[in-house]
Each structure stands twice: as structure tokens, then as C-alpha cells.
Amino acid sequence: MIATLAFYLFAGLVVLGAAMTILSSNPVHSVLWLILSFFNAAGLFVLLGAEFLAMILVIVYVGAVAVLFLFVVMMLDVDFARLRAGFSRYLPWGFALAVVLATELLLVFGQGTFGMSAASPSHAPVIAGMTNTQALGSLIYTRYVFIFQAAGMVLLTAMIGAIVLTHRQRPGIRKQSIAAQTARTPAGAISVVDAPSGEGVTL
Amino acid sequence: MGFTAFFQGLLGHDIGYLVATIILILLIALPVMLGVAMAVYADRKVWASMQLRRGPNVVGPFGLMQTFADALKLFLKETIIPSGANTGVFLIAPMITFTLALIAWAVIPFDAGLVLADINVGLLYLFAVSSLGVYGIIMSGWASNSKYPFLGGLRSAAQMVSYEVSIGFVIVCVVLYSSSFNLSDIVAAQKGMVLGIGNGNILNPLLFPMAIVFFISALAETNRPPFDLPEAEAELVAGYQVEYSSMAFALFFLGEYANVLLMCALSSILFLGGWLPPVNWAPLYVVPGFVWFMAKLFGMFFIFAWVKATVPRYRYDQLMRLGWKVFLPLSLAWVCVVSGWLVFTGHYG
């Protein structure tokens, strides 16, 4: 009973969060609703018995990716009026997309291949004597190892691309060299001069 | 757990489970809050005696009631919401900080078998909760609609994201040794870890550097000095807390100290052997594990207070450099070293 109640709580909040993400006028609020949605999706993963995926979802998406989202959106100077101006113009396109997506979903679920129901939320492929994490690891690093590595390479390429695009060498700026700083000794940095009074010293 | 079974027999399966769990949650949360009050007091006392002052000594015997007096004072103050603030987010932010600081304690094993939720991804859960902690701060910084809180919030977001990365790699090193994310298993795996004598990962020469990295990252993650940039008094007044008053401020304050205690508990579980005595010697096991765990927790807290009293604050670019250019490569390389060593010595059979 508790699992069912929890399912409806999480599922309801996911839907609410997703709806409010596109409905709220303030972009920061949108990101916060999106985070709520992510977080409750993690709750759904827990109910399905995929606790490793749930935690990774929270750590990666909520804890890191969404923080950067929020970071960027918070610093943007968004003109809300201009943002909403194009709403009616893009509405037909959005509606068409929604229809296509809904048709696809209906086609998939109509066949009954996804026999999911909230009442029995334990569809996890539990292998005896093996935790979720081990099961995932033993699949990813054996059967899907090449696909896994390829995904890693794609991400690496994206990362290098982003760095190449944003990194620029600015000539003439002074940079701090920690090694040079710590390697300094009093002998090279200061000189103690016994100055006779009334006369200047030449350094 | 016998406790849950007792209530389930009394009230039926579901209701009994709910009631038993709520009682257990209170049994953890209330002592944690009391511990936080004492930690604030202890922090001030340690700090004071390192500066040759007396510290709080007026309210109650030895000033023990000082924190409660402060809490009462804050409780009686007026809650001020700035007119330019984004009210909803402004009020939710301290609640998030406080709640996250408390829910993390659900998976902490205080003794063998003495844990509320013995889940098999306990360490990841803790990591996830601590990575969520940034939201309380960044939301309060933004919702205050004021420049110092905003700067504090931005600094904190960047800082916590940076140091989480190295904490993650340190956690991987520890998990490689214990082959489990379960905190009880991690503690159990440390028994007789070093030549069958020492209990605790910190005595392992391969994990000792990671213990240091973890400790420093924990300081940064909890915004403690020398990494308290988000609330640097000299530059940002009080950072993200500037616009908060009364209980909203108190929630931030308590949440912060609860997080510090949590990091102390986590370092004693990951590196100091949790509820195990420091040396694997039979007479030491007579002392209850709970006592060992608490002793380690308080020891870690003393070191946190010690660092606060003695180390000057980092400059922001130095903080970022330490996180990204020193700790990240070091901990990433160390994951390779540790896993290579474990495979080489046949740890996984």
C-alpha cells in the first residue's frame, strides 16, 4: 500500500513539475520545477528497484547538471515580455509535435508490450545474490563495453569541442604562476641594505 | 528489525511499519539536533580557547545552555521578508538546507546493525544528498534579490560543484576496497585492514592521501573555514544569509552545523573504521561500538573546529585552483593506482 501511495505521489509530482516547467513565467522557477521533476523521477526509479540509477540521476542531473542550468539562467537578463511574444506564433508547431508524440506513445502502449501497472512496482530484474550496482556493472563492462566506450568518446569529443570553442589565448595578460611563487627565496626577493643616515642608497 | 516487527504485529503491516519508522526517525533526528546545539557550543569553546578567550560561560553551567538561549532569541525575533524578494523561493530555501541536513542521517550506521535504512547504495545516497545541499544556498542567494546574497550563492554553487568531483573519486577509492556502497559493509571491510592489526582505511598507506583529500574537500563542501567564501564576512557581509532573520536564519545555521557533523560522521565511517575500535585487539571490542563511533565523530569535529581557529581564508581563485587543478587530477590518478593495485594483488580473486 505504501509503495502504491508513494508511486502516485512521485508520479503526480513528476507530472506537476514538468507542467510547471513550461507554464511558469519566470525561467528560474522553471528550472526549479524541472529539478523537482528530476528528483521525483529518481523516486520512481527507487520504487522500481533501480536504486543505483536513482542515486546517479540525483547526483548527476540534479546535483551537477541542473545546478549549472540554474547558474546560467540566474545570471541571464531575461526580458519576460519578449520571451512570451512568440508564443502564439510557435503554438501550431508545438501542437503538431505534441500530436506526433502522443500518437507514438499510443502506438507503443496500445500493443500492450509495456505491461506496467502501479500496483506491482517490482519489475526490477533482480538477480539472486547480486546488487543492482553489480548487475549493471557486469552488463555494461562485458556485453555493452564497446557501446559504453563509444558513449564515453562522444562525451570526450563534446567536452574538447566546448573547450576549443570557448578557450582563447589573450596576449599580454599577467598570469599567476604558483610554482614560481613558491620557489621564491628571501635571497632573491629582498635585499637588506645597511643605509648610512643622511645618505641615500642605490639598489 | 525487531522494533518494526513489534509495531507491525500491533498495528498491521503497513501502519505498523509507518509508525515504527516515524519513531525511529525521531530517535535519530532529535539527538542529532541536540548534537548540533552542543556542536555549536563546542565549536565556540574550542575556538575561544585557541584564541586564549573563555568563550560562552554565562548561560547555564559552563555556558552549556548558550545555544538554547540563542535559539530562543532567534525564535522570538521578527521574520523579515524583503519586499523585492521572491517570497516562495526565499522561504523554501532554508527549509531545503535544513531538511537535507537531516535526511542524510537515515543511512549512517551508529553501530553494527544500528541503522535506520540499511540500503545497498548508502554511500551514493549520502553523496546525492550532499550534492543537493547547494540548492538551499543558491536559491536563497537568488531569491533575496540583493547583491551580497547573490554573490554568495554563485560562489557557493561553483565551490560545492568543484569539490564534489574530488569527493566522488575519493569515495570510488574506498568503495574499490570494500566492493560495496553499503556503509555497514564499508565499515566491516575495514576490520583488520592493515596486516590484521589496524582497523580503518586511514592506516592503509594507499588510502591515507585520499583521507587528506576527503577531509579538505569536506571542509569546502560544508563551507567551513578556510573555504567559507560564500559567507565571507569581510567581503560579502554574511553572503547568502544577509537577508534572513529569525527562524529562517536559524534553519540555515542549524543545517550548516548538521552538515558539518554529517561530514565528521562520514569521514569516521569511510576512513576511521566507524564503530570498530582503532586496533583489532579483542579487549577493545568490550567497549560498545556506538561509543567508538561517537568518539571518532567528536574527534573529527575537534579537527574541524581546530582548522577554523587556525587557518586564514582562501582567496577565491586559489580555492578553484585547488579543487580543479590539484585535487581532481590527484584523486583521478589515485583511482587508477588503487584499482591497479587491487587487481595486481588479486583482491577480487
Side-chain angles (χ1 to χ4, degrees):
Chain A
M1 186 190 80
I2 293 177
T4 315
L5 281 179
F7 170 78
Y8 282 113
L9 177 73
F10 289 140
L13 282 172
V14 168
V15 174
L16 176 77
M20 290 306 289
T21 305
I22 50 174
L23 289 181
S24 58
S25 54
N26 192 329
V28 174
H29 288 178
S30 282
V31 178
L32 292 175
W33 282 112
L34 183 69
I35 291 160
L36 182 75
S37 200
F38 278 159
F39 192 70
N40 285 290
L44 287 179
F45 272 127
V46 170
L47 285 183
L48 284 168
E51 67 269 4
F52 180 76
L53 282 182
M55 293 306 147
I56 291 298
L57 182 72
V58 173
I59 291 168
V60 175
Y61 283 94
V62 184
V65 175
V67 171
L68 296 180
F69 264 16
L70 196 59
F71 203 89
V72 172
V73 171
M74 264 168 42
M75 289 198 287
L76 288 178
D77 190 17
V78 185
D79 185 359
F80 300 128
R82 258 189 66 195
L83 206 67
R84 272 193 235 157
F87 187 72
S88 53
R89 198 149 57 88
Y90 295 119
L91 193 61
W93 291 105
F95 192 70
L97 259 179
V99 168
V100 170
L101 205 68
T103 322
E104 280 176 2
L105 282 176
L106 278 177
L107 283 175
V108 171
F109 284 109
Q111 290 170 351
T113 42
F114 287 73
M116 280 194 184
S117 61
S120 56
S122 59
H123 284 282
V126 179
I127 306 163
M130 209 181 212
T131 65
N132 213 287
T133 320
Q134 286 169 320
L136 263 177
S138 59
L139 261 187
I140 287 178
Y141 289 105
T142 54
R143 194 167 156 192
Y144 298 111
V145 65
F146 293 116
I147 300 173
F148 180 69
Q149 293 289 337
M153 292 310 286
V154 169
L155 283 177
L156 182 67
T157 316
M159 195 172 85
I160 293 173
I163 292 172
V164 167
L165 283 178
T166 52
H167 186 74
R168 58 200 166 101
Q169 287 285 350
R170 282 179 296 173
I173 67 163
R174 303 209 299 168
K175 276 190 177 163
Q176 185 180 21
S177 165
I178 304 281
Q181 278 182 356
T182 46
R184 261 159 71 107
T185 54
I190 57 166
S191 60
V192 181
V193 180
D194 194 9
S197 76
E199 299 167 34
V201 286
T202 330
L203 291 174
Chain B
M1 200 182 287
F3 188 77
T4 312
F6 168 74
F7 276 94
Q8 282 183 331
L10 213 63
L11 296 164
H13 185 265
D14 286 342
I15 307 284
Y17 177 78
L18 207 65
V19 170
T21 309
I22 287 173
I23 292 175
L24 287 174
I25 288 172
L26 287 178
L27 275 179
I28 293 176
L30 293 181
V32 165
M33 289 323 298
L34 197 67
V36 166
M38 286 299 112
V40 176
Y41 168 77
D43 202 22
R44 292 176 68 176
K45 271 290 191 195
V46 171
W47 204 9
S49 49
M50 289 202 184
Q51 298 173 342
L52 301 181
R53 292 185 288 117
R54 278 168 179 255
N57 63 349
V58 175
V59 191
F62 310 107
L64 271 171
M65 307 300 283
Q66 181 65 50
T67 317
F68 299 101
D70 288 344
L72 190 67
K73 184 195 77 174
L74 277 173
F75 185 67
L76 293 174
K77 289 205 169 193
E78 182 192 355
T79 305
I80 299 166
I81 300 171
S83 55
N86 199 306
T87 317
V89 181
F90 185 82
L91 289 178
I92 290 173
M95 296 179 201
I96 288 183
T97 302
F98 186 69
T99 314
L100 288 175
L102 282 186
I103 60 169
W105 289 88
V107 293
I108 297 285
F110 296 93
D111 196 350
L114 195 63
V115 47
L116 174 63
D118 199 17
I119 56 177
N120 56 20
V121 286
L123 191 52
L124 284 179
Y125 171 83
L126 273 183
F127 189 54
V129 169
S130 81
S131 72
L132 289 181
V134 66
Y135 282 112
I137 293 174
I138 198 169
M139 280 165 73
S140 65
W142 177 77
S144 298
N145 201 2
S146 155
K147 49 183 172 298
Y148 292 127
F150 190 61
L151 284 173
L154 289 186
R155 278 186 178 188
S156 149
Q159 174 179 334
M160 289 172 96
V161 168
S162 319
Y163 280 84
E164 251 159 41
V165 185
S166 51
I167 286 191
F169 284 124
V170 172
I171 285 177
V172 170
C173 287
V174 174
V175 167
L176 282 172
Y177 263 95
S178 62
S179 339
S180 171
F181 280 114
N182 183 305
L183 290 169
S184 305
D185 288 351
I186 288 172
V187 173
Q190 294 177 44
K191 188 172 178 178
M193 159 146 256
V194 186
L195 308 171
I197 304 165
N199 291 338
N201 280 331
I202 195 168
L203 299 173
N204 183 333
L206 258 182
L207 287 178
F208 179 73
M210 287 299 99
I212 305 292
V213 170
F214 182 81
F215 176 69
I216 297 174
S217 304
L219 286 174
E221 187 77 5
T222 48
N223 296 328
R224 285 281 288 191
F227 306 110
D228 56 343
L229 272 301
E231 46 190 290
E233 300 93 345
E235 313 143 40
L236 297 181
V237 191
Y240 60 93
Q241 304 169 341
V242 167
E243 306 290 347
Y244 283 89
S245 63
S246 184
M247 281 318 277
F249 172 77
L251 286 184
F252 271 126
F253 194 75
L254 294 175
E256 203 171 292
Y257 270 89
N259 267 330
V260 170
L261 283 185
L262 181 77
M263 278 297 171
C264 295
L266 192 55
S267 9
S268 39
I269 286 168
L270 289 183
F271 291 106
L272 303 179
W275 66 77
L276 299 168
V279 180
N280 198 8
W281 183 48
L284 287 177
Y285 285 93
V286 176
V287 180
F290 184 73
V291 176
W292 285 118
F293 180 72
M294 282 297 154
K296 285 166 181 172
L297 203 162
F298 291 139
M300 283 307 298
F301 185 77
F302 177 75
I303 299 177
F304 265 67
W306 188 2
V307 169
K308 178 176 178 173
T310 46
V311 184
R313 183 178 296 134
Y314 256 58
R315 212 171 58 206
Y316 193 69
D317 62 313
Q318 292 172 332
L319 175 89
M320 283 295 150
R321 178 181 169 273
L322 184 69
W324 289 108
K325 291 190 178 171
V326 180
F327 280 178
L328 176 61
L330 182 70
S331 51
L332 185 57
W334 217 262
V335 171
C336 301
V337 170
V338 169
S339 50
W341 173 257
L342 288 179
V343 170
F344 177 68
T345 54
H347 182 79
Y348 297 115

